[in-house]
Amino acid sequence: MSASVERLFEPFRLANLELPTRVVMAPMTRNFSPGGVPHADVVEYYRRRAAAGVGLIVTEGTTVNHPAANGYPNVPRFYGEDALAGWKQVVDAVHAEGGKIVPQLWHVGAVRRLGTEPEPSVPGYGPSGKVKDGQVLVHEMTRQDIQDVIAAFAQAARDAKAIGMDGVEIHGAHGYLIDQFFWAGSNQRSDEYGGSLANRSRFAIELIKAVREAVGPDYPIIFRFSQWKQQDYGARLVETPEALGEFLKPLSEAGVDIFHCSTRRFWIPEFEGSELNLAGWTRQLTGKPTITVGNVGLDGSEFLAFFGNTQEVAQPSGIDGLLERLNNQEFDLVAVGRALLVDPDWALKVRDGRLADIKPFSRESLATLA
Ligand SMILES: Cc1cc2nc3c(=O)[nH]c(=O)nc-3n(C[C@H](O)[C@H](O)[C@H](O)COP(=O)(O)O)c2cc1C
C-alpha cells in the first residue's frame, strides 16, 4: 500500500458508527427490484462490495411509504413486510462481511409521472403544482401532505433501525422532493414553506427533526444535498460560503450527523478564491464530517448515465488528487459511484495499486447487477 492511499483504508468513527474503511458506495438506482422487493441478486450485489473494501454502503434510493414517492420501474420500497424482509437479508449479508450499510430514503416528488408504479393514477407531488389540459400532472402539496411525507420518512427510519441498518441517508439532493422545496426554480409557494431559502428549508428541517425523534439521539443520520439538479446541472442554491453556512446551520442543528455533498466532479472548487470543494466547505462551516463524491476513479466524463442516452465510456483514472485532499482532511469519506457499480473490487484494486485491472464504465454496465 502506498503511503498516500492509507487514509482511505483507515477506519472512521463517529459515535455509534464505526466504518472499516473510508470508501463509501454512492447510492445508485438499479431498477432490479421487481414489485419493489430486493431479492437474492440484490443481496449478493451489495455483499460483494462489502467484502471488497467498501466501508459504508449507501443503498440505491428506496421509497418511503407515500403514494407518490416512486418515480421509476423496479425501485425497491422501504416499507411493507416483503420489502423490509428483503432489506434485512441485505443487511445481514453486508454485516457478515464486516461492512456497514444505510438505506437512502427517497421521495421523487414532482418528478413522478402518471402511469408509474405502484399506483399509475397518482400524479407527482411537489411544493408547487402543474396542470396541463385540465389534468393534474403534479399535485401541489397541502400542509397535510407535508405532514404525511414527514411521517413516512420517520417511519422508514424507525424500520431501518429495527432491521439493523447502521443509520439512514435522507435524499435531499438532485431535484427530488426535498430539493424541490429548497430550489426556487421548483418552489413557488407563498406559505411558510416558500419564499426565502430559510422558508424553503422548513420542510427539510421538520423532516430531519422527525427522523431524529424517531430514531433517538445516537443513531446516525446522513443528509445528501447538491447544488445541481437533474432538471438543471447548472442550478445553484447558494453563491457564497456565507450563504452555504446559513443554509446548512439549521439542517445541522435539526440532527444531521454527516453531510453527503453531491457534486459531479470532486475537484471543482465550490466558490472562487479557494480550492475547497462542496464537502470541504461544508465540513468547515458545520464542523460535521462530510462525504465527497463525483467522478472518483474516472476520467472526468460529463455524463451521468442514468439521465442521458450516451455512448460515452468513462475510463478509469488514478486518484492522487483525491488522496491529497483526503490526506489534507478536506473531507472525511469518499463516495464512489460508477466505478464501484461496474467493478465490485474497485477499492481493493486501488488499495493494491492494480489500476490497470479496473474496468471502464459504459451504459452496458447498467444492464446487469455485476
Ligand atoms: C446509475 C446511477 C444511478 C444513480 N442513482 C442515484 C440515487 O438513487 N440516489 C442518489 O442520490 N444518487 C444517485 N446517483 C448519483 C450517484 O450517487 C453519484 O452521485 C454520481 O454517479 C456521481 O458519482 P460517480 O462519478 O462516482 O459515478 C446515481 C448515479 C448512477 C450512475
Side-chain angles (χ1 to χ4, degrees), residues 172-176 179-180 182-184 197 200 224-241 243-245 247-248 260-264 269-271 277-279 281-282:
H174 306 169
Y176 293 108
D179 200 18
Q180 286 157 22
F182 285 146
W183 186 34
L197 182 55
R200 287 183 269 127
R224 192 173 221 215
F225 75 102
S226 63
Q227 299 256 43
W228 69 270
K229 318 296 165 205
Q230 58 140 318
Q231 302 87 337
D232 178 0
Y233 284 175
R236 285 168 79 77
L237 294 176
V238 291
E239 294 293 350
T240 63
L244 180 63
F247 168 64
L248 294 171
H260 191 170
C261 310
S262 176
T263 53
R264 293 165 58 241
E270 192 55 43
F271 305 110
N277 72 12
L278 186 63
W281 276 110
T282 299

Side-chain angles (χ1 to χ4, degrees), residues 25-31 58-62 104 106 169 171-174 176 224 228 260 262-265 293-298 301 303-307 335-341 361 366:
M25 181 173 182
M28 285 176 289
T29 292
R30 299 306 316 273
N31 315 94
V58 182
T59 72
E60 61 205 287
T62 172
Q104 189 190 49
W106 193 20
E169 175 167 293
H171 192 344
H174 306 169
Y176 293 108
R224 192 173 221 215
W228 69 270
H260 191 170
S262 176
T263 53
R264 293 165 58 241
R265 295 185 195 81
V293 68
N295 254 295
V296 174
L298 297 176
S301 59
F303 81 105
L304 290 170
F306 54 124
F307 299 138
V336 182
R338 290 166 292 162
L340 259 177
L341 185 155
F361 175 90
L366 298 175

